Amino acid sequence: MNQQAKTSAQELLASLYPSSLMVVGASADPGKRGYQAVQALVTEGFQGRIYPVNPRLEQLLGLTCYPEIAAVPGAPELALVCTPAASLPEVLDACGRKGVKTAVVLASGFAEVGAAGQALQNLSLAVARNWGLRLIGPNTSGVFNMHAAMNLVGYRDLRPGPLGILSQSGNMALSLVTEGTLQLHSGFSSYIGVGNASDLAFHDYLDYFLLDQGTGALAAYIEGLDAGQAFLQAARQFTASKPLVVYKSGRSASGQKAAKSHTGALAGNYQVARGVMRQAGVVLVNQPDYLLPVAEALATQPLVKGGRVAVLADGGGHATIAADALDSLGLPLAQLSAASQKALAACLPATASLTNPIDVAGATDTDPEVFARCAEILLADPGVDQLLLVGLFGGYALRFDPQLLIAERQTALQLADLARASGKPLLVHSLYALYKPEPLALLVEEGFPVFSSIEVAVAAVQALTDYSAYRFREATDDYLTGEGEASRRALKILDGARFEGRSALLEPEAKQLLKAFEVQLPEELWLRSREDLQQLDAAWLTQPLAMKLVSQDILHKSDAGGVELNLLGLEDLDAAWQRIELSAAKYAADAKLQGCLLVPMASNQATEVILGVTRDSQYGPLLMFGLGGIFVEVLEDVVFRALPLSRADAWDMLAGIRSAKVLEGVRGQPPVDKSALVELMLKVSALVTAHPEIAEMDLNPVRCYREGYKVLDARVLLNTQRATSSSALEKLELLPELVH
Amino acid sequence: MNQQAKTSAQELLASLYPSSLMVVGASADPGKRGYQAVQALVTEGFQGRIYPVNPRLEQLLGLTCYPEIAAVPGAPELALVCTPAASLPEVLDACGRKGVKTAVVLASGFAEVGAAGQALQNLSLAVARNWGLRLIGPNTSGVFNMHAAMNLVGYRDLRPGPLGILSQSGNMALSLVTEGTLQLHSGFSSYIGVGNASDLAFHDYLDYFLLDQGTGALAAYIEGLDAGQAFLQAARQFTASKPLVVYKSGRSASGQKAAKSHTGALAGNYQVARGVMRQAGVVLVNQPDYLLPVAEALATQPLVKGGRVAVLADGGGHATIAADALDSLGLPLAQLSAASQKALAACLPATASLTNPIDVAGATDTDPEVFARCAEILLADPGVDQLLLVGLFGGYALRFDPQLLIAERQTALQLADLARASGKPLLVHSLYALYKPEPLALLVEEGFPVFSSIEVAVAAVQALTDYSAYRFREATDDYLTGEGEASRRALKILDGARFEGRSALLEPEAKQLLKAFEVQLPEELWLRSREDLQQLDAAWLTQPLAMKLVSQDILHKSDAGGVELNLLGLEDLDAAWQRIELSAAKYAADAKLQGCLLVPMASNQATEVILGVTRDSQYGPLLMFGLGGIFVEVLEDVVFRALPLSRADAWDMLAGIRSAKVLEGVRGQPPVDKSALVELMLKVSALVTAHPEIAEMDLNPVRCYREGYKVLDARVLLNTQRATSSSALEKLELLPELVH
């Protein structure tokens, strides 16, 4: 992160490990937050000084109360503000004057209730800014930091541990914390309720959790992001060293912007969020119930070489369900070595299944330690990346014989030792997890996740696999940037069109733009008038051609009858030209016709894909990739990434569409030259990143061959407001050229 | 069910509500099932007589023991057999002699361990059959019937209730029962562990649960079915009055049969099971964790008019997640009437959200009864089919103020009364569900399901919607059957080919077969020799034609170069004929060429679909439906149903493919005439149902127009073994005709 972000995060860190804090609006009413917070601080052993502020109280829970903020001794790093909305500007002013660094503002009644609230929020923020005071909230459900024994939320029975929580909904945070308290989990580090995010926002909090040594992984509930690009940047930095698990809600929101381009229209909120978050190394879960257990697995287990899972089960049912769940996520069952199978055979009965999933066939019912012997074999197998134990473990004493408890405890410790020594993850499912029996509690204490659902355990396997792959690939990943000469040529074309007040490039211009970045295009000829047909040489007259109208006023050529295919010879071409002119005139009488493009008919022995660029209000410039035709228009099988795009991102996009196997060549088509397509994507990324003048772009279709590709059509829309090019200096140099 | 099945089910019912039962192999060792069962019977208050059998015990838990089966008084209806595998034939013989009706056999070591075990299983079955004794198992995890206080499994803390469990895995049953015990659930009726199903099998147990008045809904865990057709028949009967929820495992099994036809190859296990079970009214869940809560909702809630859900939430986060979850399953949020919104406004604060999902915005924090007032309004709205409450309900006393408990209890009872009075389902999610607080326990007691996961609650909404739709449509559904004359003509064609020892029909024969059932086919002409081309009249010579090779030895015409398109005039046709003959000779030198078919080129302005028939080893004849081309070959977007097919089944198939919207007409294609397509499907169903001689059939492609369709190609494979036609008598009458 940059220096400013780092300073800001360090300040927040200091505020959330405060040596002293103020509770403004402390209360003697047990139903009030101003009481609950003080009570939690006192009873849970907060080590710093606590200053309750309330003009009508002298003492609260054994603490001295202060009549006003100014009366508090020293300069507490943190203030919890429990007073009503209207008081906020005054309270913040007093806090700022006092030297408070961060205020946690609980009151609601701000931007979320309309214009008057928004004005109050703005005023409050201005006051805070004046003092350099940072705000969490307003309208936050609160904050806790269990590693500082500082619980300002009033949630009960919290244990400290590695799991951070960041949530845009207080109730969702409550759900997570309740789940973490009732079930076997390894405990929490900090929680921050984002609230209205008038000042500090998601990306600031990511920076905090990144610096916080008490946090091993972060679980975040996100409804919407105002500063999407800042979030992505912070997320990239975060995931480079810690796992970030996100549940993104608001997925059903639809029909947002009425974009002019194809790509824009397809940029549905969730699909975009999914793409750009994956790109930033975020693990997305599809259900909120998965947030905590998946984060816990990532917080506690090592990175993995791959997703080859060994399943160790004490019965066929759970083994089968685990295999199904792995299969449905595309995770491979590990192939065990012959040596492993032989070793398993030696410690299991004849009825056991020795191929993965391993079913011990009752061998553990009387001797749970058989699990440890099997686990040792499986973890030592070089073909096994992760070990998943499913079934009844932890419940043998409950189910079969109380005396088995000793052996189960012993086995739990052995399993933990074996897994640690192997450097491979161990994930344990047990149908007894909700009973929280001692052997399972031991496993959690030793740093291994325990799951009550096989599906969730398997989602954790996938998360470990994906996140590890991301971490390993980040090390070697690279980008393409627009180098000087290419950008200079591109800018000339862009500025030419903008100088004429146009909001779109002509097709030949769009193609020239791409050519500047060495994109492969079909040979083509732009004839300005029908008479130019007479000048065509033999090469153009003896092969089948396509003819396409060029007009700055007609964006959708096909709709205007502006495309003719399979034309051979002068007579054909001339007739086509006339038809196009007639159709265009009928379609838009005032349209300025600027001739036609001639292009040799391209081979059909190809797979068509679409690349599109749009600028998203949240996440900035995005690249969309999809297959042509019905795949995009009917199946909406597209994938998005934020720009700039790395080479690994591009490969990930190709693999990310549901119909990815079409790229391998189906129904007689040759396979697509993926390397070439990846290079094209990187060139588009470089072009668009260097030129913010480009608002939207469709390369549709791009015909992909066994070797190489051809961009058959290109549409480029321009920003109508005057944007600053990243190469602003060059633009100034070039402008005179265009003007003269 | 038929009389035999009914008698069998009644006998099983009598056995599982026994007036007396025997425990063969009773034991004094608390670790043994022969002890646990007797203990559970005694302590849980089984009202019948209990006869432990063990030659080495005189007394067990206060009961007299008997040295041998013969010594037991009277004729107990049920025997629990806990002795080892080898003893089984002898034990069953003694049970049979004693007049026992049903034996539950726990021992393993039978068919599941190989040939010797299989032999022992067969012998045991023969012994049992000799006495008319029915077997549950062997290798079953056991049986309980909580309504008879008869717990032979040893699971703890079971409560009686409406949920039946049928499971092919003991551990899965244990999972379900543990879940039902630890969480808020309404209790169990009977459990039956299917085991090896040597005698009684899934369909018998369905019949039992159907008759059992204690069972409101059945949750079943199924790995594989031996008698799929019997299961489907029993399931259809079951679901006509009670809900059946199934988790089908073994979904990753792949690459089974190497079928010759397209359809056969696509009949992947799970896709087939999914289709035929849906057709039988079964609710399939994708995760085993969903089995119990979904079954509970179905057992306790009324049938619904539709899936329009009102979501009532006490916070934005849960409201949003519920809306997302509903959206992802395609379930609509109810549109509230203006009157409802006005009424809600009157009892909620200004910051509340009055459009669905309703967010009470904290109004319930201090007064939970606001929920009841809102629920009353929502349940009364005619646009609302189901009410889903999400958030913290039941936990207000825990979270905010212990004094709220009284109001929460009151609210729970009010909600129950309101929902009952409205006749609409009420489903309650609470993040406090796992705490089992009193208000939520009250709701369950009152017969309303409580969920700890919003996703599961929404799956229950979907199950209620789907199952109700099934129940309502079943009442008016109809079938098409092959009437006499059509079948007679079809049989003539089939027997002609079989008489010649062929395993496939020629294309013209296949089309004649379809024509007999009034299927729409393109006009066509079968010319036996090239010379016949000279006889063509003007109509055939002045339109573009397709020419297709006819040869009983060449199934795949295209591969053999046997298809030529767009032929116009005699010269074209003649040249094409020669090319086809040459290609065919190169492809298969010995092939018998039987001329060519001429067909007018069909319009491309159509959507191509595929219909296929295969005979599945588990489920019998199946119909497959899919879109042509890439949809089938790449996306495998197909749907299966068992034959015979009802009209409603056919409509359900059209709606069941993922790309169903292609049928509405995309990319310039007209919409498909769905009614005509449905009729075609019913005709195929009637044809295949009447003629078991048909092994497989592909109608590919079927070109669908705005009005009507054309079957462009048809392939019919025949059973090579001599099958009995359902119209066997007619066949006998017709055979002479074919022979002379």
Side-chain angles (χ1 to χ4, degrees):
Chain A
M1 60 190 95
N2 63 35
Q3 197 47 51
Q4 194 189 345
K6 193 163 183 177
T7 309
S8 166
Q10 279 165 340
E11 274 180 20
L12 186 55
L13 196 71
S15 295
L16 296 186
Y17 283 87
S19 58
S20 62
L21 66 78
M22 236 185 323
V23 179
V24 182
S27 167
D29 177 350
K32 293 271 170 71
R33 292 289 296 274
Y35 174 89
Q36 291 162 0
V38 177
Q39 188 198 31
L41 290 167
V42 171
T43 59
E44 295 178 11
F46 174 65
Q47 295 294 307
R49 287 175 301 280
I50 310 164
Y51 302 117
V53 177
N54 183 329
R56 290 176 306 279
L57 286 178
E58 302 233 318
Q59 285 263 320
L60 179 60
L61 296 162
L63 300 170
T64 305
C65 284
Y66 297 84
E68 53 173 3
I69 292 166
V72 166
E77 292 94 336
L78 188 69
L80 174 67
V81 180
C82 309
T83 55
S87 69
L88 193 60
E90 198 181 331
V91 167
L92 292 181
D93 191 55
C95 284
R97 195 176 302 273
K98 194 77 202 148
V100 172
K101 292 276 178 285
T102 306
V104 178
V105 182
L106 300 182
S108 57
F110 293 93
E112 80 280 10
V113 298
Q118 180 72 60
L120 184 59
Q121 183 170 312
N122 294 348
L123 173 62
S124 305
L125 181 60
V127 170
R129 289 259 158 95
N130 184 43
W131 293 106
L133 169 64
R134 304 306 302 264
L135 299 185
I136 297 178
N139 193 23
T140 170
S141 51
V143 160
F144 68 63
N145 177 357
M146 295 315 297
H147 293 301
M150 181 188 73
N151 176 357
L152 304 180
V153 214
Y155 299 154
R156 299 162 187 218
D157 306 320
L158 298 177
R159 280 166 299 122
L163 301 175
I165 298 182
L166 183 57
S167 175
Q168 210 161 356
S169 151
N171 283 351
M172 263 312 298
L174 182 60
S175 274
L176 293 175
V177 167
T178 304
E179 183 190 335
T181 306
L182 276 176
Q183 302 189 23
L184 282 169
H185 280 296
S186 51
F188 299 103
S189 59
S190 290
Y191 160 66
I192 298 177
V194 176
N196 289 6
S198 70
D199 178 22
L200 292 167
F202 276 108
H203 54 280
D204 300 300
Y205 298 131
L206 288 185
D207 292 343
Y208 162 78
F209 282 105
L210 178 56
L211 291 191
D212 177 35
Q213 298 200 343
T215 298
L218 180 61
Y221 170 79
I222 302 178
E223 293 187 345
L225 292 166
D226 284 329
Q229 285 184 284
F231 174 83
L232 291 181
Q233 197 185 338
R236 256 193 311 272
Q237 276 161 353
F238 189 91
T239 59
S241 49
K242 294 181 185 182
L244 170 57
V245 186
V246 166
Y247 176 83
K248 172 80 178 69
S249 80
R251 296 182 284 174
S252 49
S254 58
Q256 67 272 22
K257 48 185 154 182
K260 271 182 289 180
S261 78
H262 207 149
T263 305
L266 280 162
N269 260 338
Y270 186 59
Q271 222 163 1
V272 169
R274 202 181 174 81
V276 298
M277 288 202 187
R278 179 182 165 86
Q279 184 183 15
V282 173
V283 172
L284 277 166
V285 291
N286 292 324
Q287 296 192 20
D289 327 17
Y290 283 45
L291 260 181
L292 208 58
V294 168
E296 174 152 4
L298 289 166
T300 56
Q301 299 307 293
L303 294 180
V304 295
K305 275 199 319 192
R308 298 169 304 170
V309 185
V311 175
L312 180 58
D314 48 12
H318 292 118
T320 309
I321 289 167
D324 281 352
L326 289 164
D327 183 76
S328 76
L329 296 182
L331 290 164
L333 277 170
Q335 297 282 331
L336 302 185
S337 70
S340 297
Q341 295 199 25
K342 201 172 152 196
L344 287 169
C347 63
L348 290 176
T351 50
S353 162
L354 303 180
T355 51
N356 198 5
I358 314 302
D359 174 3
V360 302
T364 47
D365 292 7
T366 51
D367 180 11
E369 294 191 54
V370 167
F371 274 136
R373 293 199 287 281
C374 294
E376 184 167 15
I377 296 162
L378 295 170
L379 286 166
D381 192 316
V384 172
D385 298 317
Q386 308 185 43
L387 177 58
L388 174 59
L389 186 66
V390 299
L392 281 64
F393 183 71
Y396 281 79
L398 287 164
R399 174 78 184 110
F400 300 114
D401 182 352
Q403 306 223 326
L404 290 173
L405 185 60
I406 298 161
E408 276 198 290
R409 266 197 313 237
Q410 188 55 36
T411 305
L413 294 174
Q414 283 173 6
L415 287 170
D417 284 342
L418 288 166
R420 257 192 305 266
S422 74
K424 296 176 183 177
L426 165 69
L427 301 103
V428 178
H429 157 267
S430 173
L431 71 90
Y432 287 96
L434 286 176
Y435 275 103
K436 300 204 254 186
E438 216 187 314
L440 296 180
L442 263 180
L443 270 174
V444 172
E445 224 170 85
E446 293 284 319
F448 294 88
V450 169
F451 303 86
S452 56
S453 152
I454 291 179
E455 270 72 18
V456 179
V458 166
V461 167
Q462 187 185 34
L464 279 165
T465 309
D466 286 356
Y467 178 63
S468 301
Y470 175 82
R471 284 280 295 272
F472 292 135
R473 83 167 169 79
E474 276 303 279
T476 57
D477 206 6
D478 64 328
Y479 292 81
L480 195 68
T481 51
E483 39 89 37
E485 181 49 29
S487 256
R488 217 185 313 271
R489 271 182 285 150
L491 196 60
K492 191 162 167 180
I493 296 160
L494 291 166
D495 280 340
R498 285 156 61 87
F499 185 76
E500 292 179 14
R502 284 188 276 137
S503 63
L505 296 187
L506 300 173
E507 182 180 338
E509 288 174 333
K511 287 181 170 168
Q512 286 302 315
L513 186 72
L514 293 167
K515 210 166 184 174
F517 276 71
E518 291 172 14
V519 166
Q520 293 166 26
L521 296 153
E523 186 189 12
E524 68 180 26
L525 211 53
W526 180 9
L527 304 188
R528 308 303 166 117
S529 75
R530 189 176 142 212
E531 289 66 42
D532 292 349
L533 287 172
Q534 306 301 328
Q535 315 302 322
L536 288 175
D537 62 25
W540 287 91
L541 293 174
T542 52
Q543 60 176 326
L545 301 176
M547 181 183 287
K548 303 199 274 180
L549 172 67
V550 178
S551 164
Q552 65 184 56
D553 300 316
I554 296 179
L555 257 182
H556 299 276
K557 294 182 286 284
S558 300
D559 296 356
V563 180
E564 295 264 348
L565 302 175
N566 279 313
L567 308 169
L568 187 59
L570 192 55
E571 198 178 327
D572 242 19
L573 290 166
D574 196 61
W577 192 293
Q578 293 182 60
R579 283 196 299 274
I580 286 179
E581 279 189 343
L582 263 174
S583 300
K586 218 181 287 172
Y587 180 80
D590 299 336
K592 178 177 173 192
L593 306 186
Q594 292 156 289
C596 287
L597 271 186
L598 295 185
V599 200
M601 291 299 293
S603 160
N604 278 324
Q605 285 296 304
T607 300
E608 288 193 354
V609 307
I610 296 181
L611 291 177
V613 172
T614 183
R615 294 203 182 254
D616 186 80
S617 59
Q618 282 186 329
Y619 300 110
L622 300 177
L623 180 67
M624 181 194 84
F625 164 71
L627 291 161
I630 218 150
F631 289 98
V632 166
E633 292 179 25
V634 181
L635 305 179
E636 298 184 3
D637 183 11
V638 294
V639 56
F640 288 88
R641 293 291 185 272
L643 296 180
L645 193 77
S646 77
R647 183 164 272 112
D649 291 336
W651 282 102
D652 202 37
M653 289 183 86
L654 297 190
I657 53 170
R658 296 193 301 279
S659 314
K661 82 173 165 188
V662 172
L663 299 175
E664 310 305 331
V666 295
R667 290 176 68 78
Q669 298 293 0
V672 162
D673 182 347
K674 291 193 203 167
S675 301
L677 190 50
V678 163
E679 292 312 311
L680 170 61
M681 294 160 89
L682 293 179
K683 285 168 183 171
V684 170
S685 168
L687 169 61
V688 173
T689 306
H691 295 285
E693 300 87 353
I694 300 172
E696 300 188 26
M697 181 188 290
D698 281 340
L699 309 189
N700 178 17
V702 178
R703 211 161 265 184
C704 296
Y705 304 96
R706 190 184 294 279
E707 287 188 16
Y709 61 84
K710 276 182 190 160
V711 177
L712 293 200
D713 199 356
R715 183 180 305 162
V716 173
L717 302 182
L718 303 174
N719 278 320
T720 42
Q721 71 269 40
R722 211 110 184 91
T724 314
S725 174
S726 62
S727 47
L729 190 66
E730 292 172 17
K731 187 160 70 173
L732 287 174
E733 282 170 12
L734 282 162
L735 265 174
E737 273 186 58
L738 294 164
V739 176
H740 69 70
Chain B
M1 62 190 93
N2 62 35
Q3 196 47 51
Q4 195 190 344
K6 193 162 182 181
T7 309
S8 165
Q10 280 165 339
E11 275 181 19
L12 186 54
L13 195 69
S15 295
L16 296 187
Y17 285 87
S19 59
S20 63
L21 65 77
M22 238 187 318
V23 178
V24 182
S27 168
D29 177 351
K32 292 270 168 72
R33 291 289 296 275
Y35 175 89
Q36 292 161 359
V38 176
Q39 187 198 32
L41 290 167
V42 171
T43 60
E44 295 178 13
F46 174 65
Q47 295 294 305
R49 287 176 301 280
I50 310 165
Y51 302 118
V53 177
N54 183 329
R56 290 176 304 280
L57 287 177
E58 302 231 321
Q59 286 263 320
L60 179 60
L61 296 162
L63 300 170
T64 305
C65 283
Y66 297 84
E68 53 174 0
I69 293 166
V72 166
E77 292 94 336
L78 188 69
L80 174 67
V81 180
C82 309
T83 55
S87 69
L88 193 59
E90 199 182 330
V91 167
L92 294 181
D93 191 55
C95 285
R97 195 177 301 274
K98 194 76 202 147
V100 172
K101 292 277 177 284
T102 306
V104 179
V105 182
L106 301 181
S108 57
F110 294 92
E112 80 280 8
V113 298
Q118 180 72 60
L120 183 60
Q121 183 169 312
N122 294 347
L123 173 62
S124 305
L125 181 60
V127 171
R129 289 258 159 95
N130 183 42
W131 293 106
L133 169 65
R134 305 304 304 263
L135 300 184
I136 298 177
N139 193 23
T140 170
S141 51
V143 161
F144 67 63
N145 177 357
M146 295 316 295
H147 294 301
M150 183 187 73
N151 175 357
L152 304 180
V153 214
Y155 300 154
R156 298 162 188 219
D157 306 320
L158 298 177
R159 281 166 299 120
L163 301 175
I165 298 182
L166 183 56
S167 175
Q168 211 161 355
S169 151
N171 283 352
M172 263 311 298
L174 182 60
S175 275
L176 293 175
V177 166
T178 303
E179 183 190 337
T181 306
L182 275 178
Q183 303 189 23
L184 282 169
H185 280 296
S186 52
F188 299 104
S189 58
S190 290
Y191 160 66
I192 298 177
V194 176
N196 289 6
S198 71
D199 177 21
L200 292 167
F202 275 109
H203 54 279
D204 300 301
Y205 298 131
L206 288 184
D207 292 343
Y208 162 78
F209 281 106
L210 177 57
L211 291 191
D212 178 35
Q213 297 199 344
T215 298
L218 180 62
Y221 169 79
I222 301 178
E223 293 187 346
L225 292 167
D226 284 328
Q229 286 184 283
F231 174 83
L232 291 180
Q233 197 185 340
R236 256 192 313 270
Q237 278 161 353
F238 189 92
T239 60
S241 49
K242 294 181 186 181
L244 171 57
V245 187
V246 166
Y247 175 82
K248 172 79 178 72
S249 80
R251 295 182 286 175
S252 48
S254 59
Q256 65 274 20
K257 47 185 155 182
K260 272 183 288 181
S261 79
H262 208 148
T263 305
L266 279 162
N269 261 337
Y270 186 59
Q271 222 163 359
V272 169
R274 201 180 175 82
V276 298
M277 288 203 187
R278 178 181 166 87
Q279 183 184 16
V282 172
V283 172
L284 277 167
V285 291
N286 292 324
Q287 296 191 20
D289 327 17
Y290 284 45
L291 261 180
L292 207 58
V294 168
E296 174 152 5
L298 289 165
T300 57
Q301 300 307 292
L303 294 180
V304 295
K305 275 199 317 192
R308 298 168 304 169
V309 185
V311 175
L312 180 57
D314 47 13
H318 292 119
T320 309
I321 288 167
D324 281 352
L326 288 164
D327 183 76
S328 76
L329 296 182
L331 291 164
L333 277 170
Q335 297 281 331
L336 301 184
S337 71
S340 296
Q341 295 198 24
K342 201 172 152 197
L344 286 170
C347 63
L348 291 176
T351 49
S353 162
L354 304 180
T355 51
N356 198 5
I358 316 301
D359 175 3
V360 302
T364 47
D365 291 7
T366 51
D367 180 11
E369 294 192 54
V370 168
F371 273 136
R373 293 201 285 281
C374 294
E376 184 167 15
I377 296 163
L378 295 170
L379 287 166
D381 191 316
V384 172
D385 298 318
Q386 309 185 44
L387 177 58
L388 174 60
L389 186 66
V390 298
L392 282 63
F393 182 72
Y396 281 80
L398 287 165
R399 173 79 182 109
F400 300 114
D401 181 352
Q403 306 224 327
L404 290 173
L405 185 59
I406 298 161
E408 276 198 290
R409 266 196 312 235
Q410 190 55 37
T411 304
L413 293 174
Q414 284 174 6
L415 287 170
D417 284 342
L418 288 165
R420 257 192 303 265
S422 73
K424 296 176 182 176
L426 165 68
L427 300 103
V428 179
H429 157 266
S430 173
L431 71 90
Y432 287 98
L434 286 176
Y435 275 104
K436 300 202 255 187
E438 216 187 313
L440 297 180
L442 263 179
L443 271 173
V444 171
E445 226 169 82
E446 293 284 319
F448 294 88
V450 169
F451 302 87
S452 56
S453 153
I454 291 179
E455 271 73 18
V456 179
V458 166
V461 167
Q462 186 185 34
L464 279 165
T465 309
D466 286 356
Y467 179 63
S468 300
Y470 175 82
R471 284 281 294 272
F472 292 137
R473 83 167 169 78
E474 274 303 277
T476 58
D477 204 7
D478 64 328
Y479 293 80
L480 194 68
T481 50
E483 40 86 39
E485 182 49 31
S487 256
R488 219 184 311 271
R489 272 183 284 150
L491 196 60
K492 192 163 165 178
I493 297 159
L494 291 166
D495 280 338
R498 285 156 60 88
F499 184 77
E500 292 179 14
R502 283 189 275 137
S503 63
L505 296 188
L506 300 173
E507 182 180 340
E509 289 174 332
K511 287 180 171 168
Q512 284 304 314
L513 185 73
L514 293 165
K515 210 166 185 176
F517 276 71
E518 291 172 12
V519 165
Q520 293 167 25
L521 296 153
E523 186 188 11
E524 67 180 27
L525 210 54
W526 179 11
L527 305 187
R528 307 304 164 118
S529 74
R530 189 175 143 214
E531 289 65 45
D532 292 350
L533 286 171
Q534 306 299 330
Q535 316 301 324
L536 288 174
D537 61 25
W540 287 92
L541 293 174
T542 53
Q543 61 177 325
L545 301 177
M547 181 183 287
K548 304 199 275 182
L549 173 65
V550 178
S551 164
Q552 65 185 54
D553 301 316
I554 296 178
L555 258 181
H556 299 276
K557 295 181 285 286
S558 299
D559 297 356
V563 180
E564 295 264 347
L565 301 176
N566 279 312
L567 309 170
L568 187 58
L570 191 56
E571 196 178 329
D572 242 18
L573 290 167
D574 195 62
W577 192 292
Q578 293 184 59
R579 282 196 300 274
I580 286 179
E581 280 189 342
L582 263 172
S583 301
K586 216 182 287 172
Y587 181 78
D590 300 334
K592 178 177 171 192
L593 306 185
Q594 293 156 290
C596 287
L597 272 187
L598 294 184
V599 200
M601 291 298 294
S603 159
N604 278 325
Q605 285 297 303
T607 300
E608 289 192 355
V609 308
I610 296 180
L611 291 177
V613 171
T614 183
R615 294 201 183 255
D616 186 81
S617 58
Q618 282 186 329
Y619 300 110
L622 300 176
L623 180 67
M624 180 195 86
F625 165 70
L627 292 162
I630 219 152
F631 290 98
V632 166
E633 292 178 26
V634 182
L635 304 179
E636 298 184 3
D637 183 11
V638 294
V639 56
F640 288 88
R641 293 293 184 270
L643 296 180
L645 194 77
S646 77
R647 183 163 273 110
D649 290 335
W651 282 102
D652 203 38
M653 288 182 88
L654 298 190
I657 53 170
R658 296 194 301 279
S659 315
K661 81 173 166 189
V662 171
L663 299 175
E664 309 303 332
V666 294
R667 291 176 67 79
Q669 299 292 0
V672 162
D673 182 346
K674 289 192 202 168
S675 301
L677 190 50
V678 163
E679 293 311 310
L680 170 60
M681 293 160 89
L682 294 179
K683 287 168 183 171
V684 170
S685 167
L687 169 61
V688 174
T689 306
H691 295 285
E693 300 87 353
I694 300 172
E696 300 188 24
M697 181 188 291
D698 282 340
L699 309 189
N700 178 17
V702 178
R703 213 162 262 183
C704 296
Y705 305 97
R706 189 184 295 279
E707 288 188 16
Y709 61 84
K710 276 182 190 161
V711 176
L712 294 200
D713 199 356
R715 182 180 306 163
V716 173
L717 304 183
L718 303 175
N719 278 319
T720 43
Q721 71 269 40
R722 212 110 184 92
T724 314
S725 174
S726 64
S727 47
L729 190 67
E730 292 172 17
K731 188 160 72 174
L732 287 174
E733 282 170 14
L734 283 162
L735 266 174
E737 274 185 58
L738 294 164
V739 177
H740 69 68

